[in-house]
Amino acid sequence: MWILDTSVAVKWFFTDESGHARAREVLNRLVERPDEFAVPLHFFFELAAVLVRKSGFQKQFAHESLTAVYQLGIPTFEIGEDLSGEAIAMACRYRPPDVCRHLTDYS
């Protein structure tokens, strides 16, 4: 299961973003294998806000882009305390140890 980050989805719509090509590869895989992906409920709110800002407050662009992402049918889930702890543990696999130590100080 892949948890899709908003920063990846934003790159689908802005070709000047670093990592755009890789993000499009993720999108292609999502389209081919949607059962392998999920997003937290706040994903769509965060994506909407970023699309609005990055597009220079172009409401129609943001709306159409967000609608396209909704149409992908990505499953959503709520994040509670248990999942937050798991998210920290997963993030630590890809972060320097000093960052992980700081994150786990709060648990």
Side-chain angles (χ1 to χ4, degrees):
M1 174 69 61
W2 293 92
I3 307 303
L4 183 62
D5 190 79
T6 305
S7 64
V8 175
V10 166
K11 293 172 193 228
W12 299 341
F13 301 99
F14 298 95
T15 59
D16 60 334
E17 284 280 322
S18 173
H20 170 75
R22 179 70 180 117
R24 295 297 294 196
E25 291 173 15
V26 172
L27 174 59
N28 291 338
R29 183 172 179 130
L30 170 61
V31 169
E32 292 171 8
R33 311 255 349 223
D35 57 316
E36 293 183 357
F37 291 84
V39 295
L41 286 175
H42 72 272
F43 170 88
F44 293 101
F45 297 104
E46 186 177 20
L47 181 58
V50 175
L51 289 169
V52 167
R53 282 193 314 271
K54 287 193 67 63
S55 69
F57 299 90
Q58 295 180 25
K59 184 179 176 181
Q60 184 173 348
F61 169 83
H63 178 73
E64 290 173 0
S65 300
L66 190 62
T67 298
V69 176
Y70 270 116
Q71 290 175 344
L72 293 170
I74 308 167
T76 59
F77 60 92
E78 289 189 44
I79 296 179
E81 189 173 346
D82 292 344
L83 281 180
S84 295
E86 288 182 41
I88 289 171
M90 289 174 62
C92 286
R93 292 183 196 148
Y94 305 101
R95 302 270 189 216
D98 59 326
V99 172
C100 294
R101 202 171 313 106
H102 175 72
L103 288 172
T104 56
D105 286 346
Y106 294 101
S107 60

